[in-house]
Every structure is written in structure tokens, then in C-alpha cells.
Amino acid sequence: VDDIALRRARNTTPQRMVIPDGVIIDGSLTSGSETEIAGRVDGDVTVDGVLTLGPTALISGNVRTRRCQVEGMVDGRMECADELYLGESGRLNADCVAGKRLTIAGQVFGNVQCSGLLHIIASGQVEGNIRARRLIIEEGATVN
């Protein structure tokens, strides 16, 4: 039985999970594939891969992933092992941590930590403490 399960796992192509606008998940979400969320999740989100949060996405819980692009809103701690991109319409209402690169074009209301490059775009706003190995703040960005 184990051999059959292993062969099936090897023969399947990676799938993409999509949670469309209007869908509400009450509880934690865990995914091993690329995930796109445009709806609402009331719980923690863990994705072993790439996570995309659309402009209508609302996450009320902690988020852990490898790479993430945020255009919606997250009310919880955000942890990305590699890269985090916060778009102009994105908003984080808690601390965020990125391993290699963190780009902020939206709003962060919490502490920011990056082991690599932290880049705050002109439209970016940070209300909290910043810890980064390398830091770029464009003219027009707000840091308090």
C-alpha cells in the first residue's frame, strides 16, 4: 500500500489552490502547493510554497510561508522564509519577518524584521521598529 501511495505522489503534478472572493474559511488552512487567496480566512495560514493574497483577501490569523505577495489585509504575524512583497493596497496589522528580501509599498502597523534586504518604496508606511541587515528607504516613504 505504501508503494502505491509513493508512486501516485511522484506521478502527480503540483496543483494550485484558489480561494475565491466571497468564500469564508473558519479555521486554519494548510497547503503544500501554490496558493491564491481572494476570500477570507479566520485562522492561521501555512503554505509550503508561494502564497498570493489578492486585494479582497482578509486573513485573521498568523501566516507562515516561503514567499508571499500581499495586496489584501493580514491581522496576524507574517513570516516568510524567503521573500515578502507588500503591495500598495496591502496592509499588515502585526509584526512581519522575512528571510531574504522584504519590499514594502503598503502599510505595516507592527515591527519589521529582515535578515536580508528591506526596501521601503515611496508609497510605503511603517509604524513600528525596524531590524534589517540592509535597508533602502525611498524618498516619500513614512517610518515612525
Side-chain angles (χ1 to χ4, degrees), residues 21-44:
D21 189 14
V23 173
I24 299 172
I25 295 177
D26 188 14
S28 296
L29 173 72
T30 302
S31 172
S33 62
E34 183 177 344
T35 304
E36 181 179 336
I37 300 175
R40 178 177 169 178
V41 178
D42 291 330
D44 295 341

Side-chain angles (χ1 to χ4, degrees), residues 51 53 63 65-71 74 77-87 92 94-105 108 111-114 117-119:
L51 174 63
L53 301 177
V63 177
T65 184
R66 188 168 40 89
R67 279 196 320 228
C68 187
Q69 177 175 344
V70 179
E71 298 292 340
V74 177
R77 182 176 170 85
M78 183 81 162
E79 293 181 36
C80 295
D82 291 338
E83 298 178 29
L84 170 60
Y85 175 80
L86 180 65
L92 301 177
D95 298 347
C96 66
V97 177
K100 295 180 181 175
R101 184 177 181 93
L102 173 55
T103 305
I104 299 173
V108 178
N111 299 325
V112 176
Q113 182 177 341
C114 183
L117 174 65
L118 171 59
H119 185 181

